[in-house]
Amino acid sequence: MPTRPGTPRLLRQLNDRAALELLLSSGPLTRAELGEHTGLSKVTAGQLLSRLEERDLVTVVGEQAGGRGPNAALYGVVPSCAYVVGLDVLPDRISAGVADITGTIVAEVSADPSDHDDPVRLVRDAVGQACESAGIGVDRLRAFVIGTRGVVDPCTGDVRFSFDLPSWHNGVLAELRRDLGVPVTIENDVNLAALAERAYGAALGVDDFVLVWAGVGQGLGVMLGGRLHRGFTGGAGEIGWLPVPGEPLPTEVGEPQSGSFQRLVGGDAVTGLANAHGIGSGVASGALSDAGSVGDLVRTAVEEGAEAFLDELAGRLAVGVAAVAVVLDPGLIVLSGDVGRAGGEALATRVQDAVARVCPSQPKVVVSRVRGNPVLRGALVSALHQAREQVFSDTV
């Protein structure tokens, strides 16, 4: 494989990139501190900062008192040098957020998609609302990422299949890119939740873990070696189809609710289990239209100390978690989704104990620690990575 020669231009680009990443993670810093952390001389660090200032990527944000002599200027990345958008697309709600290059969320809006089902128009309207709320033009965006419940083809980037969003079909991605004129990426929602967990949550900095999304539907985000594992067709993590003892195998793969593990722990199953234990008796089995209702049942069970219900629910979830642990041995399992988050530590501890009884690897099971919408947070993480690649690699 050919390598790029170490030209002065390339070395400046590498130094600039390292300095910008350092200022984001550890800043603000003085010129001397920047040189100390990067190994650059004060002269080279000063030239680097001047170059980045000229490109409006860094600026003086304060000063640091020292010993003798004047105070040293503190430098930080200019937040407004680039913006990104993340979206979480559901059948009944679209959530959109705008973040600046530092990762600070500057606007977040929700929209009702019931008026029409044109994906391009839905996204354009949501992005427009989010940018208006943030006080920026769409032309300031460097990237945005859309999270959906569908299976995303890793080769084309298009939604290959989505039961909940049938209008999201092959060709939508190209239409979005043409319409918005911005780099657009579509990603599975649970994969994005896993990215958020690694960036901000219970898997902070962990290279090998899985995120189990438990709610009306089931999903799995797999992080191996610090990278998402999507599978050959993009279907890695569709854990609802996992065959389990005592549950019938699906007869129609086009019907997501027919998966064996889905039958065991899905929305109807959790509702039926709760009713059997006298929890949320006012909610009829099969009447759930959103994950929040299932989460409310589990939250009520935790608040009421319904140990028998939680034990049985944990035992059911452990069937899927143990199967994943035996195959992947990730060491860390994060429970997310409305059921996982509502169950909290009470449910996570029970799942860990149940898995330990049937699985030799005995992974640690914890609850998600991502605040807010984990899919939206993950979409912004992914979009920021893309934007920083663009902005920070073009400084010379």
Side-chain angles (χ1 to χ4, degrees):
M1 181 177 178
T3 57
R4 297 173 65 187
T7 63
R9 177 185 176 86
L10 175 59
L11 293 176
R12 286 197 297 270
Q13 287 178 326
L14 294 174
N15 288 337
D16 289 354
R17 177 63 183 266
L20 288 164
E21 293 287 0
L22 186 61
L23 287 171
L24 282 176
S25 62
S26 305
L29 299 171
T30 65
R31 182 182 65 174
E33 289 172 334
L34 187 62
E36 180 181 346
H37 284 89
T38 59
L40 300 174
S41 68
K42 288 185 179 180
V43 173
T44 303
Q47 292 172 342
L48 179 152
L49 288 169
S50 296
R51 185 164 60 247
L52 296 180
E53 275 191 291
E54 290 175 0
R55 296 185 68 86
D56 295 324
L57 296 177
V58 303
T59 189
V60 176
V61 295
E63 47 183 43
Q64 184 181 83
R68 299 176 180 177
N71 293 342
L74 282 168
Y75 292 87
V77 174
V78 176
S80 61
C81 67
Y83 293 93
V84 300
V85 165
L87 278 80
D88 176 23
V89 178
L90 296 172
D92 59 349
R93 186 185 75 254
I94 294 180
S95 300
V98 177
D100 62 35
I101 197 68
T102 69
T104 300
I105 299 175
V106 295
E108 189 171 336
V109 300
S110 294
D112 182 357
S114 60
D115 291 343
H116 51 80
D117 60 0
D118 176 14
V120 177
R121 181 180 169 189
L122 287 171
V123 170
R124 184 200 312 127
D125 290 350
V127 171
Q129 291 179 37
C131 288
E132 182 178 359
S133 179
I136 64 168
V138 177
D139 59 343
R140 301 288 301 281
L141 301 178
R142 285 298 189 116
F144 78 82
V145 174
I146 302 168
T148 78
R149 289 180 179 175
V151 175
V152 179
D153 189 320
C155 296
T156 66
D158 257 313
V159 176
R160 187 167 60 83
F161 171 78
S162 177
F163 177 79
D164 293 318
L165 301 167
S167 60
W168 287 71
H169 50 74
N170 283 335
V172 167
L173 181 61
E175 293 176 28
L176 286 168
R177 288 172 173 171
R178 282 195 301 269
D179 185 81
L180 294 165
V182 179
V184 181
T185 301
I186 302 175
E187 180 62 90
N188 174 265
D189 57 350
V190 181
N191 283 344
L192 292 177
L195 287 180
E197 208 66 54
R198 186 168 186 262
Y200 306 112
L204 180 65
V206 178
D207 286 343
D208 295 274
F209 74 95
V210 298
L211 179 140
V212 176
W213 185 276
V216 170
Q218 317 309 309
L220 191 74
V222 180
M223 188 74 69
L224 298 176
R227 301 181 64 180
L228 283 173
H229 177 72
R230 298 177 174 86
F232 181 72
T233 66
E238 294 297 322
I239 196 175
W241 298 104
L242 182 74
V244 297
E247 294 295 332
L249 295 175
T251 57
E252 175 53 62
V253 295
E255 175 50 60
Q257 299 300 316
S258 67
S260 299
F261 189 58
Q262 174 67 27
R263 291 174 184 268
L264 185 67
V265 298
D268 289 346
V270 174
T271 304
L273 182 63
N275 288 341
H277 286 271
I279 301 165
S281 57
V283 181
S285 179
L288 293 171
S289 60
D290 61 82
S293 299
V294 184
D296 288 342
L297 286 176
V298 176
R299 189 174 295 105
T300 298
V302 173
E303 292 172 351
E304 295 179 353
E307 295 189 5
F309 166 81
L310 292 172
D311 286 343
E312 187 169 350
L313 177 59
R316 294 186 181 193
L317 287 170
V319 173
V321 173
V324 172
V326 168
V327 174
L328 298 178
D329 189 20
L332 177 66
I333 309 285
V334 180
L335 290 185
S336 190
D338 288 275
V339 168
R341 289 159 72 95
E345 293 298 336
L347 182 61
T349 300
R350 285 174 166 83
V351 172
Q352 178 172 300
D353 292 343
V355 171
R357 290 193 289 269
V358 297
C359 178
S361 61
Q362 300 188 9
K364 182 179 181 180
V365 181
V366 300
V367 68
S368 168
R369 293 177 191 161
V370 175
R371 295 182 179 180
N373 182 332
V375 177
L376 181 59
R377 295 293 300 274
L380 290 171
V381 168
S382 180
L384 281 167
H385 176 75
Q386 296 178 36
R388 289 170 182 171
E389 282 294 323
Q390 296 177 44
V391 176
F392 294 175
S393 299
D394 186 28
T395 60
V396 179

